Coordinates of all heavy atoms in Angstrom, one line a residue:
M1 N -20.9 -36.4 -53.2 CA -20.4 -35.1 -53.6 C -21.4 -34.1 -53.3 O -21.0 -32.9 -52.8 CB -20.2 -35.2 -55.2 CG -19.7 -33.9 -55.7 SD -18.0 -33.8 -55.2 CE -17.3 -32.7 -56.4
T2 N -22.7 -34.4 -53.3 CA -23.6 -33.4 -52.9 C -23.5 -33.0 -51.4 O -23.9 -31.9 -51.0 CB -25.0 -34.1 -53.2 OG1 -25.1 -34.5 -54.6 CG2 -26.1 -33.0 -53.0
M3 N -23.2 -34.0 -50.7 CA -23.0 -33.8 -49.1 C -21.9 -32.8 -48.9 O -22.0 -32.0 -48.1 CB -22.8 -35.0 -48.4 CG -24.1 -35.9 -48.3 SD -25.2 -35.0 -47.3 CE -24.8 -35.5 -45.8
I4 N -20.9 -32.9 -49.6 CA -19.7 -32.0 -49.5 C -20.1 -30.5 -49.8 O -19.7 -29.6 -49.1 CB -18.5 -32.5 -50.3 CG1 -18.0 -33.9 -49.8 CG2 -17.3 -31.5 -50.3 CD1 -17.0 -34.4 -50.7
I5 N -20.9 -30.4 -51.0 CA -21.3 -29.1 -51.3 C -22.2 -28.5 -50.3 O -22.1 -27.3 -50.0 CB -21.9 -29.2 -52.7 CG1 -20.9 -29.6 -53.8 CG2 -22.6 -27.9 -53.1 CD1 -21.5 -29.8 -55.1
I6 N -23.1 -29.3 -49.8 CA -24.0 -28.8 -48.8 C -23.3 -28.3 -47.5 O -23.5 -27.3 -46.9 CB -25.1 -29.8 -48.4 CG1 -25.9 -30.0 -49.6 CG2 -25.9 -29.4 -47.2 CD1 -27.0 -31.1 -49.5
A7 N -22.4 -29.2 -47.1 CA -21.5 -28.8 -45.9 C -20.7 -27.5 -46.1 O -20.6 -26.8 -45.2 CB -20.7 -30.1 -45.5
L8 N -20.2 -27.5 -47.2 CA -19.3 -26.3 -47.6 C -20.2 -25.1 -47.7 O -19.8 -24.0 -47.2 CB -18.6 -26.5 -49.0 CG -17.6 -25.4 -49.4 CD1 -16.6 -25.2 -48.3 CD2 -17.1 -25.7 -50.7
A9 N -21.4 -25.1 -48.2 CA -22.4 -23.9 -48.3 C -22.8 -23.6 -46.9 O -22.8 -22.4 -46.5 CB -23.6 -24.4 -49.1
A10 N -23.0 -24.5 -46.1 CA -23.5 -24.4 -44.6 C -22.3 -23.6 -43.9 O -22.6 -22.6 -43.1 CB -23.9 -25.6 -43.9
A11 N -21.1 -24.1 -44.1 CA -20.0 -23.5 -43.4 C -19.8 -22.0 -43.9 O -19.4 -21.2 -43.0 CB -18.7 -24.4 -43.6
L12 N -19.9 -21.8 -45.1 CA -19.8 -20.4 -45.6 C -20.8 -19.5 -45.1 O -20.6 -18.3 -45.0 CB -19.7 -20.5 -47.1 CG -18.4 -21.1 -47.8 CD1 -18.7 -21.1 -49.2 CD2 -17.2 -20.3 -47.4
M13 N -22.0 -20.0 -44.8 CA -23.1 -19.2 -44.4 C -23.0 -18.9 -42.9 O -23.6 -17.8 -42.4 CB -24.4 -19.8 -44.7 CG -24.8 -19.9 -46.2 SD -26.5 -20.2 -46.7 CE -26.8 -21.5 -45.7
L14 N -22.2 -19.7 -42.1 CA -22.1 -19.4 -40.7 C -21.3 -18.2 -40.5 O -20.3 -17.9 -41.1 CB -21.4 -20.6 -40.0 CG -22.2 -21.8 -39.9 CD1 -21.4 -22.9 -39.3 CD2 -23.4 -21.7 -39.0
D15 N -21.7 -17.4 -39.5 CA -21.0 -16.1 -39.1 C -19.9 -16.5 -38.1 O -20.2 -16.9 -36.9 CB -22.0 -15.1 -38.5 CG -21.4 -13.9 -38.1 OD1 -20.1 -13.6 -38.5 OD2 -21.9 -13.0 -37.4
A16 N -18.7 -16.5 -38.6 CA -17.4 -16.9 -37.7 C -17.0 -15.7 -36.8 O -16.1 -16.0 -35.9 CB -16.4 -17.4 -38.5
S17 N -17.5 -14.5 -36.9 CA -17.0 -13.4 -36.2 C -17.5 -13.6 -34.7 O -18.6 -14.0 -34.5 CB -17.5 -12.1 -36.8 OG -18.9 -12.0 -36.7
P18 N -16.8 -13.3 -33.8 CA -17.3 -13.4 -32.4 C -18.3 -12.5 -31.9 O -18.3 -11.3 -32.4 CB -15.9 -13.1 -31.5 CG -15.0 -12.3 -32.4 CD -15.4 -12.7 -33.9
K19 N -19.2 -13.0 -31.2 CA -20.3 -12.1 -30.7 C -19.8 -11.2 -29.6 O -18.9 -11.6 -28.8 CB -21.4 -13.0 -30.2 CG -21.9 -14.0 -31.2 CD -22.7 -13.3 -32.3 CE -23.2 -14.3 -33.2 NZ -23.0 -13.9 -34.6
L20 N -20.4 -10.0 -29.4 CA -19.9 -9.1 -28.4 C -20.1 -9.6 -27.0 O -19.3 -9.4 -26.1 CB -20.7 -7.7 -28.6 CG -20.3 -7.0 -29.7 CD1 -21.1 -5.6 -29.8 CD2 -18.7 -6.6 -29.8
E21 N -21.2 -10.4 -26.8 CA -21.5 -11.0 -25.5 C -20.5 -12.0 -25.1 O -20.0 -12.0 -23.9 CB -22.9 -11.7 -25.5 CG -24.0 -10.7 -25.8 CD -25.3 -11.2 -26.2 OE1 -25.3 -12.5 -26.5 OE2 -26.3 -10.6 -26.3
T22 N -20.1 -12.8 -26.0 CA -19.1 -13.7 -25.8 C -17.8 -13.2 -25.5 O -17.1 -13.5 -24.6 CB -18.9 -14.7 -27.1 OG1 -20.1 -15.2 -27.4 CG2 -17.9 -15.8 -26.7
V23 N -17.3 -12.1 -26.2 CA -16.2 -11.4 -25.9 C -16.1 -10.8 -24.6 O -15.2 -10.9 -23.9 CB -15.8 -10.4 -27.0 CG1 -14.6 -9.5 -26.7 CG2 -15.6 -11.0 -28.4
A24 N -17.2 -10.2 -24.2 CA -17.3 -9.6 -22.9 C -17.3 -10.6 -21.7 O -16.6 -10.4 -20.8 CB -18.7 -8.8 -22.7
K25 N -17.8 -11.8 -22.0 CA -17.7 -12.8 -20.9 C -16.4 -13.4 -20.7 O -15.8 -13.5 -19.7 CB -18.7 -14.0 -21.2 CG -20.2 -13.7 -20.9 CD -21.0 -14.8 -21.5 CE -22.4 -14.5 -21.3 NZ -23.3 -15.7 -21.9
L26 N -15.7 -13.5 -21.9 CA -14.2 -14.0 -21.9 C -13.4 -13.0 -21.2 O -12.5 -13.2 -20.4 CB -13.8 -14.3 -23.3 CG -14.4 -15.6 -23.9 CD1 -13.9 -15.8 -25.3 CD2 -14.0 -16.9 -23.2
T27 N -13.5 -11.8 -21.6 CA -12.7 -10.7 -21.1 C -12.9 -10.6 -19.5 O -12.0 -10.5 -18.7 CB -13.1 -9.3 -21.7 OG1 -12.9 -9.4 -23.1 CG2 -12.1 -8.2 -21.2
A28 N -14.2 -10.6 -19.1 CA -14.4 -10.5 -17.6 C -13.8 -11.7 -16.8 O -13.5 -11.6 -15.8 CB -16.0 -10.5 -17.4
R29 N -13.9 -12.9 -17.4 CA -13.4 -14.0 -16.8 C -11.8 -14.0 -16.6 O -11.3 -14.5 -15.7 CB -13.7 -15.3 -17.7 CG -13.6 -16.6 -16.9 CD -14.0 -17.8 -17.6 NE -15.1 -17.6 -18.5 CZ -15.3 -18.3 -19.6 NH1 -14.7 -19.3 -19.9 NH2 -16.5 -18.0 -20.4
E30 N -11.2 -13.5 -17.6 CA -9.7 -13.4 -17.8 C -9.2 -12.2 -16.8 O -8.1 -12.3 -16.3 CB -9.2 -13.1 -19.1 CG -9.4 -14.4 -20.0 CD -9.1 -14.1 -21.5 OE1 -8.7 -13.0 -21.8 OE2 -9.4 -15.0 -22.3
A31 N -10.0 -11.2 -16.6 CA -9.5 -10.0 -15.8 C -9.7 -10.4 -14.4 O -10.4 -11.2 -13.8 CB -10.4 -8.8 -16.0
P32 N -8.6 -9.9 -13.5 CA -8.6 -10.2 -12.1 C -9.9 -9.4 -11.5 O -10.2 -8.4 -11.9 CB -7.2 -9.6 -11.6 CG -6.8 -8.7 -12.7 CD -7.5 -9.2 -14.0
A33 N -10.3 -10.1 -10.4 CA -11.4 -9.4 -9.8 C -11.1 -8.2 -9.1 O -10.0 -8.0 -8.5 CB -11.9 -10.3 -8.7
Q34 N -11.9 -7.1 -9.3 CA -11.6 -5.8 -8.7 C -12.4 -5.7 -7.5 O -13.6 -5.5 -7.4 CB -12.0 -4.7 -9.7 CG -11.3 -4.7 -10.9 CD -10.0 -4.0 -10.8 OE1 -9.9 -3.2 -10.0 NE2 -9.1 -4.2 -11.6
E35 N -11.8 -6.1 -6.3 CA -12.5 -6.1 -5.1 C -11.9 -4.9 -4.2 O -10.7 -4.5 -4.3 CB -12.2 -7.3 -4.3 CG -12.7 -8.5 -5.0 CD -12.7 -9.8 -4.2 OE1 -12.7 -9.6 -3.0 OE2 -12.6 -10.8 -4.7
N36 N -12.8 -4.2 -3.5 CA -12.6 -3.0 -2.7 C -12.1 -3.4 -1.3 O -13.0 -3.8 -0.6 CB -13.8 -2.0 -2.6 CG -14.0 -1.5 -4.1 OD1 -13.1 -1.2 -4.8 ND2 -15.3 -1.2 -4.3
Y37 N -10.9 -3.5 -1.0 CA -10.4 -3.7 0.3 C -9.9 -2.5 0.9 O -9.2 -1.7 0.2 CB -9.2 -4.8 0.2 CG -9.7 -6.1 -0.1 CD1 -9.3 -6.7 -1.3 CD2 -10.4 -6.9 0.7 CE1 -9.9 -7.9 -1.7 CE2 -10.8 -8.2 0.5 CZ -10.5 -8.7 -0.8 OH -10.9 -10.0 -1.0
A38 N -10.1 -2.2 2.1 CA -9.6 -1.1 2.8 C -8.1 -1.3 3.1 O -7.8 -2.5 3.3 CB -10.3 -0.8 4.1
A39 N -7.4 -0.4 3.1 CA -5.9 -0.4 3.4 C -5.9 -0.9 5.0 O -6.6 -0.5 5.8 CB -5.2 0.9 3.3
P40 N -4.9 -1.7 5.3 CA -4.8 -2.2 6.6 C -4.4 -1.1 7.6 O -3.6 -0.3 7.2 CB -3.8 -3.4 6.5 CG -3.0 -3.0 5.2 CD -3.9 -2.5 4.4
I41 N -4.9 -1.2 8.8 CA -4.5 -0.2 9.7 C -3.2 -0.8 10.5 O -3.3 -1.9 11.0 CB -5.6 -0.1 10.7 CG1 -6.9 0.6 10.1 CG2 -5.1 0.9 11.8 CD1 -8.1 0.7 11.0
L42 N -2.1 -0.1 10.3 CA -0.9 -0.5 10.9 C -0.7 -0.1 12.2 O 0.0 -0.9 13.1 CB 0.3 0.0 10.1 CG 0.2 -0.4 8.6 CD1 1.4 0.1 7.8 CD2 0.2 -2.0 8.5
A43 N -1.2 1.0 12.8 CA -1.1 1.4 14.1 C -2.2 2.3 14.4 O -2.7 3.1 13.7 CB 0.2 2.0 14.4
V44 N -2.7 2.3 15.8 CA -3.7 3.3 16.2 C -3.1 3.9 17.4 O -2.6 3.2 18.3 CB -5.0 2.5 16.4 CG1 -6.0 3.5 17.0 CG2 -5.6 1.9 15.2
A45 N -3.3 5.2 17.6 CA -3.0 5.8 18.9 C -4.2 6.6 19.4 O -5.0 7.1 18.9 CB -1.9 7.0 18.6
V46 N -4.4 6.4 20.8 CA -5.5 6.9 21.4 C -5.0 7.8 22.7 O -4.2 7.1 23.5 CB -6.6 5.9 22.0 CG1 -7.6 6.5 22.7 CG2 -7.0 5.0 20.7
T47 N -5.3 9.1 22.7 CA -4.8 9.8 23.9 C -6.0 10.0 24.8 O -7.0 10.4 24.4 CB -4.4 11.1 23.3 OG1 -3.3 11.0 22.4 CG2 -3.9 11.9 24.5
L48 N -5.7 9.6 26.0 CA -6.8 9.8 27.2 C -6.4 10.8 28.2 O -5.2 11.1 28.3 CB -6.8 8.4 27.9 CG -7.2 7.2 27.1 CD1 -7.2 5.9 28.0 CD2 -8.6 7.3 26.5
E49 N -7.4 11.5 28.7 CA -7.1 12.3 29.9 C -7.8 11.5 31.0 O -8.9 11.2 31.1 CB -7.7 13.6 29.8 CG -7.6 14.6 30.9 CD -8.2 15.9 30.8 OE1 -9.4 16.0 30.7 OE2 -7.5 16.9 30.7
C50 N -7.0 11.4 32.1 CA -7.6 10.6 33.4 C -7.3 11.4 34.6 O -6.4 12.4 34.7 CB -6.8 9.3 33.5 SG -7.1 8.2 32.1
T51 N -7.9 11.0 35.6 CA -7.7 11.7 37.0 C -7.0 10.5 37.8 O -7.6 9.4 38.0 CB -9.0 12.1 37.7 OG1 -9.7 13.0 36.8 CG2 -8.8 12.7 39.0
A52 N -6.0 11.0 38.5 CA -5.3 10.1 39.5 C -5.7 10.5 40.9 O -5.4 11.7 41.3 CB -3.9 10.1 39.2
R53 N -6.4 9.7 41.6 CA -6.7 10.1 43.0 C -5.4 10.0 43.9 O -4.4 9.3 43.6 CB -7.7 9.1 43.5 CG -9.0 9.3 42.8 CD -9.7 10.7 43.0 NE -10.8 10.7 42.2 CZ -11.4 11.9 41.8 NH1 -10.7 13.0 42.1 NH2 -12.5 11.8 41.0
A54 N -5.4 10.6 45.1 CA -4.3 10.7 46.0 C -4.1 9.2 46.4 O -2.9 8.9 46.8 CB -4.6 11.5 47.3
T55 N -5.0 8.4 46.4 CA -5.0 7.0 46.8 C -4.1 6.1 45.7 O -3.9 5.0 46.0 CB -6.4 6.3 47.0 OG1 -7.1 6.4 45.8 CG2 -7.1 7.0 48.2
G56 N -4.0 6.7 44.6 CA -3.3 6.0 43.5 C -4.3 5.3 42.5 O -4.0 4.8 41.4
Q57 N -5.6 5.4 42.8 CA -6.7 5.0 41.9 C -6.8 5.8 40.7 O -6.8 7.1 40.9 CB -8.0 4.8 42.7 CG -9.2 4.4 41.8 CD -9.1 2.9 41.7 OE1 -8.5 2.1 42.4 NE2 -9.7 2.4 40.6
V58 N -6.9 5.3 39.5 CA -7.1 6.1 38.3 C -8.6 5.9 37.8 O -9.1 4.9 37.8 CB -6.2 5.6 37.1 CG1 -6.5 6.2 35.8 CG2 -4.7 5.7 37.4
E59 N -9.2 7.1 37.6 CA -10.6 7.1 37.1 C -11.0 8.2 36.3 O -10.0 9.1 36.0 CB -11.6 7.1 38.4 CG -11.2 8.2 39.4 CD -11.9 8.0 40.7 OE1 -12.0 7.0 41.3 OE2 -12.5 9.1 41.0
N60 N -12.1 8.2 35.8 CA -12.7 9.3 34.9 C -11.8 9.5 33.7 O -11.6 10.7 33.2 CB -12.8 10.6 35.7 CG -13.7 10.6 36.9 OD1 -14.6 9.8 36.8 ND2 -13.4 11.3 37.9
C61 N -11.5 8.5 33.1 CA -10.8 8.6 31.8 C -11.7 8.9 30.6 O -12.8 8.4 30.5 CB -9.9 7.3 31.4 SG -8.6 7.0 32.6
R62 N -11.2 9.8 29.8 CA -12.0 10.2 28.6 C -11.0 10.3 27.4 O -9.8 10.6 27.6 CB -12.7 11.5 28.8 CG -11.9 12.7 29.0 CD -12.8 13.9 29.3 NE -12.1 15.1 29.3 CZ -11.8 15.9 28.3 NH1 -12.4 15.6 27.1 NH2 -11.0 17.0 28.4
V63 N -11.6 10.1 26.2 CA -10.7 10.1 25.1 C -10.6 11.6 24.7 O -11.5 12.3 24.4 CB -11.4 9.4 23.9 CG1 -10.6 9.5 22.5 CG2 -11.6 7.9 24.3
L64 N -9.3 12.0 24.4 CA -9.0 13.3 23.9 C -8.9 13.3 22.4 O -9.2 14.3 21.7 CB -7.7 13.8 24.5 CG -7.7 14.2 26.0 CD1 -6.3 14.7 26.5 CD2 -8.7 15.3 26.3
G65 N -8.3 12.2 21.9 CA -8.1 12.0 20.4 C -7.7 10.7 20.1 O -7.2 10.0 20.9
E66 N -8.0 10.3 18.8 CA -7.5 9.0 18.4 C -7.3 9.1 16.9 O -8.0 9.8 16.2 CB -8.5 7.9 18.7 CG -10.0 8.1 18.3 CD -11.0 7.1 18.8 OE1 -10.7 5.9 18.6 OE2 -11.9 7.5 19.5
T67 N -6.4 8.3 16.4 CA -6.0 8.4 14.9 C -7.1 7.8 14.0 O -7.1 8.2 12.9 CB -4.7 7.6 14.7 OG1 -4.7 6.3 15.2 CG2 -3.6 8.3 15.4
H68 N -7.8 6.8 14.5 CA -8.9 6.2 13.7 C -10.2 6.1 14.5 O -10.5 5.1 15.0 CB -8.4 4.7 13.3 CG -7.2 4.7 12.4 ND1 -7.3 5.1 11.1 CD2 -5.9 4.4 12.7 CE1 -6.0 5.0 10.5 NE2 -5.2 4.6 11.5
P69 N -10.9 7.2 14.6 CA -12.0 7.3 15.4 C -13.2 6.3 14.8 O -13.2 6.1 13.5 CB -12.5 8.7 15.5 CG -11.8 9.3 14.3 CD -10.6 8.6 14.0
G70 N -14.0 5.9 15.6 CA -15.2 5.2 15.3 C -14.9 3.6 15.1 O -15.8 2.8 14.7
L71 N -13.8 3.2 15.4 CA -13.5 1.8 15.3 C -13.4 1.0 16.6 O -13.2 -0.1 16.6 CB -12.1 1.5 14.5 CG -12.1 2.1 13.1 CD1 -10.7 1.9 12.5 CD2 -13.1 1.4 12.3
G72 N -13.8 1.7 17.7 CA -13.7 1.1 19.0 C -12.5 1.1 19.8 O -12.4 0.6 20.9
F73 N -11.4 1.7 19.3 CA -10.2 1.8 20.0 C -10.2 2.7 21.2 O -9.5 2.5 22.1 CB -9.0 2.1 19.0 CG -8.7 1.0 18.0 CD1 -9.1 1.1 16.7 CD2 -7.9 0.0 18.5 CE1 -8.8 0.1 15.8 CE2 -7.5 -1.1 17.5 CZ -8.0 -1.0 16.2
G74 N -11.0 3.8 21.0 CA -11.1 4.7 22.1 C -11.7 4.1 23.4 O -11.3 4.2 24.5
A75 N -12.8 3.3 23.1 CA -13.5 2.5 24.3 C -12.5 1.4 24.8 O -12.5 1.2 26.0 CB -14.7 1.9 23.7
A76 N -11.7 0.8 24.0 CA -10.7 -0.2 24.4 C -9.7 0.4 25.3 O -9.2 -0.2 26.3 CB -10.1 -0.8 23.2
A77 N -9.2 1.6 24.9 CA -8.3 2.3 25.7 C -8.7 2.7 27.1 O -8.1 2.5 28.1 CB -7.8 3.6 24.9
V78 N -10.0 3.3 27.1 CA -10.6 3.5 28.4 C -10.7 2.2 29.2 O -10.4 2.2 30.5 CB -11.9 4.2 28.2 CG1 -12.7 4.3 29.5 CG2 -11.8 5.6 27.5
A79 N -11.1 1.1 28.6 CA -11.2 -0.1 29.4 C -9.9 -0.6 29.9 O -9.8 -1.2 31.0 CB -11.8 -1.2 28.5
L80 N -8.8 -0.4 29.1 CA -7.5 -0.7 29.7 C -7.1 0.0 30.9 O -6.3 -0.5 31.7 CB -6.5 -0.5 28.5 CG -6.4 -1.5 27.3 CD1 -5.5 -1.1 26.3 CD2 -6.1 -2.8 27.9
M81 N -7.5 1.3 31.0 CA -7.1 2.1 32.1 C -8.1 1.9 33.4 O -7.8 2.5 34.4 CB -7.2 3.6 31.6 CG -6.1 4.0 30.8 SD -4.4 3.7 31.3 CE -4.4 4.9 32.5
R82 N -9.1 1.1 33.2 CA -10.1 0.9 34.3 C -9.5 0.4 35.6 O -9.8 0.9 36.6 CB -11.2 -0.1 33.7 CG -12.5 0.1 34.5 CD -13.6 -0.4 33.8 NE -14.1 0.4 32.7 CZ -14.6 0.1 31.6 NH1 -14.5 -1.2 31.2 NH2 -15.0 1.0 30.7
D83 N -8.5 -0.4 35.5 CA -7.9 -1.0 36.7 C -6.5 -0.4 37.0 O -5.7 -1.0 37.8 CB -7.8 -2.5 36.6 CG -9.1 -3.2 36.5 OD1 -10.1 -2.6 37.2 OD2 -9.4 -4.1 35.9
A84 N -6.1 0.6 36.2 CA -4.9 1.2 36.4 C -4.6 1.9 37.7 O -5.6 2.5 38.3 CB -4.4 2.2 35.2
T85 N -3.4 1.9 38.2 CA -3.1 2.6 39.4 C -1.8 3.5 39.2 O -1.0 3.0 38.2 CB -2.9 1.7 40.6 OG1 -1.8 0.8 40.3 CG2 -4.2 1.0 40.9
V86 N -1.6 4.5 39.9 CA -0.4 5.3 39.9 C 0.2 5.2 41.4 O -0.5 4.9 42.3 CB -0.6 6.7 39.4 CG1 -1.0 6.6 38.0 CG2 -1.5 7.4 40.3
E87 N 1.4 5.7 41.5 CA 2.0 5.9 42.9 C 1.1 6.8 43.7 O 0.7 8.0 43.2 CB 3.4 6.5 42.7 CG 4.1 6.5 43.9 CD 4.7 5.1 44.4 OE1 4.9 4.3 43.6 OE2 4.8 5.0 45.6
P88 N 0.7 6.5 44.9 CA -0.1 7.4 45.7 C 0.7 8.7 45.9 O 1.8 8.8 46.0 CB -0.4 6.7 47.0 CG -0.2 5.2 46.6 CD 0.8 5.2 45.6
G89 N -0.1 9.8 46.1 CA 0.5 11.1 46.3 C -0.3 11.9 47.2 O -1.2 11.4 48.0
D90 N 0.1 13.2 47.4 CA -0.6 14.1 48.3 C -1.9 14.6 47.9 O -2.8 14.9 48.7 CB 0.4 15.3 48.6 CG 1.7 14.9 49.2 OD1 1.8 13.9 49.9 OD2 2.7 15.6 49.1
E91 N -2.1 14.6 46.6 CA -3.4 15.2 46.1 C -3.8 14.6 44.7 O -2.8 14.0 44.2 CB -3.4 16.7 45.9 CG -2.3 17.2 45.0 CD -2.1 18.8 45.0 OE1 -2.3 19.4 46.1 OE2 -1.9 19.2 44.0
D92 N -5.1 14.7 44.4 CA -5.5 14.3 43.1 C -4.8 15.1 42.0 O -4.6 16.3 42.2 CB -7.0 14.4 42.9 CG -7.8 13.6 44.0 OD1 -7.1 12.8 44.6 OD2 -9.0 13.7 44.0
F93 N -4.6 14.5 40.8 CA -4.1 15.2 39.6 C -4.6 14.6 38.3 O -4.9 13.4 38.3 CB -2.6 15.3 39.7 CG -1.9 13.9 39.6 CD1 -1.4 13.5 38.3 CD2 -1.6 13.2 40.6 CE1 -0.8 12.4 38.1 CE2 -0.9 12.0 40.5 CZ -0.6 11.6 39.2
Q94 N -4.6 15.4 37.3 CA -5.0 14.9 36.0 C -3.8 14.7 35.2 O -2.8 15.4 35.3 CB -6.0 15.9 35.4 CG -7.3 16.0 35.9 CD -8.3 16.8 35.1 OE1 -8.0 17.9 34.8 NE2 -9.5 16.1 34.8
F95 N -3.9 13.7 34.3 CA -2.7 13.4 33.4 C -3.3 13.0 32.1 O -4.4 12.5 32.0 CB -1.8 12.4 34.0 CG -2.3 11.0 34.2 CD1 -2.1 10.0 33.2 CD2 -3.1 10.7 35.3 CE1 -2.7 8.7 33.4 CE2 -3.7 9.4 35.5 CZ -3.5 8.5 34.5
A96 N -2.5 12.9 31.0 CA -2.8 12.5 29.8 C -1.8 11.4 29.4 O -0.7 11.3 29.9 CB -2.7 13.6 28.6
R97 N -2.4 10.4 28.6 CA -1.6 9.2 28.4 C -2.1 8.8 26.9 O -3.2 8.7 26.6 CB -1.8 8.1 29.3 CG -1.1 6.7 29.0 CD -1.2 5.8 30.0 NE -0.4 4.6 29.5 CZ -0.2 3.5 30.2 NH1 -0.9 3.4 31.3 NH2 0.6 2.5 29.6
T98 N -1.1 8.5 26.1 CA -1.4 8.0 24.8 C -1.1 6.5 24.7 O -0.1 6.0 25.2 CB -0.5 8.7 23.7 OG1 -0.8 10.1 23.7 CG2 -0.8 8.2 22.3
I99 N -2.1 5.7 24.3 CA -1.9 4.2 24.2 C -1.8 3.9 22.7 O -2.6 4.4 21.9 CB -3.1 3.6 24.8 CG1 -3.1 3.9 26.4 CG2 -3.1 2.0 24.6 CD1 -4.3 3.3 27.1
Q100 N -0.7 3.1 22.4 CA -0.5 2.7 20.9 C -1.1 1.2 20.8 O -0.8 0.4 21.6 CB 0.9 2.7 20.7 CG 1.6 4.1 20.7 CD 1.3 4.9 19.5 OE1 1.0 4.3 18.5 NE2 1.5 6.2 19.7
F101 N -1.9 1.0 19.8 CA -2.4 -0.2 19.4 C -1.6 -0.6 18.1 O -1.8 0.2 17.2 CB -3.9 -0.3 19.1 CG -4.7 0.0 20.4 CD1 -5.1 1.2 20.8 CD2 -5.2 -1.2 21.1 CE1 -5.9 1.5 21.8 CE2 -5.8 -0.8 22.3 CZ -6.3 0.3 22.7
T102 N -0.9 -1.7 18.2 CA -0.2 -2.3 16.9 C -0.5 -3.7 16.7 O -0.8 -4.4 17.6 CB 1.3 -2.0 17.2 OG1 1.7 -2.8 18.3 CG2 1.7 -0.6 17.3
P103 N -0.5 -4.1 15.5 CA -0.8 -5.5 15.2 C 0.3 -6.4 15.6 O 1.4 -6.1 15.8 CB -1.0 -5.5 13.6 CG -0.3 -4.2 13.0 CD -0.2 -3.3 14.2

């Protein structure tokens, strides 16, 4: 009988209220992770200005504008035009072209 009284006294002296640290850990574990993801880029447009030589060779392309600067699409658009040609003509002329990048 003495053992029951000691066990009951010990149980009554224990603090059954949840500790704040334990509650915080459980809450953090149950909550979905908050990760910072950038919104996906659905399309990029790059406008170039180039020179077409009378021979049909395209050269001197430069970026006039792009929807998402700084991500390398401008350089990619210039590289795409590196081997471009147009119909040969009587004289050199400048033209603008917009290149669309889509996933």
Side-chain angles (χ1 to χ4, degrees):
M1 181 76 157
T2 307
M3 285 299 271
I4 294 175
I5 294 174
I6 293 175
L8 185 58
L12 290 175
M13 289 192 317
L14 289 176
D15 184 10
S17 62
K19 304 289 183 226
L20 290 178
E21 297 163 354
T22 306
V23 172
K25 286 179 186 175
L26 290 173
T27 304
R29 193 178 328 155
E30 293 170 2
Q34 296 278 335
E35 297 187 28
N36 293 328
Y37 289 111
I41 297 174
L42 300 178
V44 175
V46 178
T47 302
L48 301 175
E49 179 183 66
C50 302
T51 301
R53 299 291 177 206
T55 60
Q57 181 74 26
V58 174
E59 52 188 48
N60 301 328
C61 291
R62 67 181 183 94
V63 177
L64 291 179
E66 54 187 307
T67 56
H68 298 284
L71 297 179
F73 289 100
V78 170
L80 286 172
M81 293 299 291
R82 206 164 275 138
D83 295 325
T85 58
V86 295
E87 188 73 31
D90 295 334
E91 58 186 39
D92 296 351
F93 64 94
Q94 287 189 313
F95 67 95
R97 177 172 183 182
T98 300
I99 298 176
Q100 298 281 337
F101 293 91
T102 57

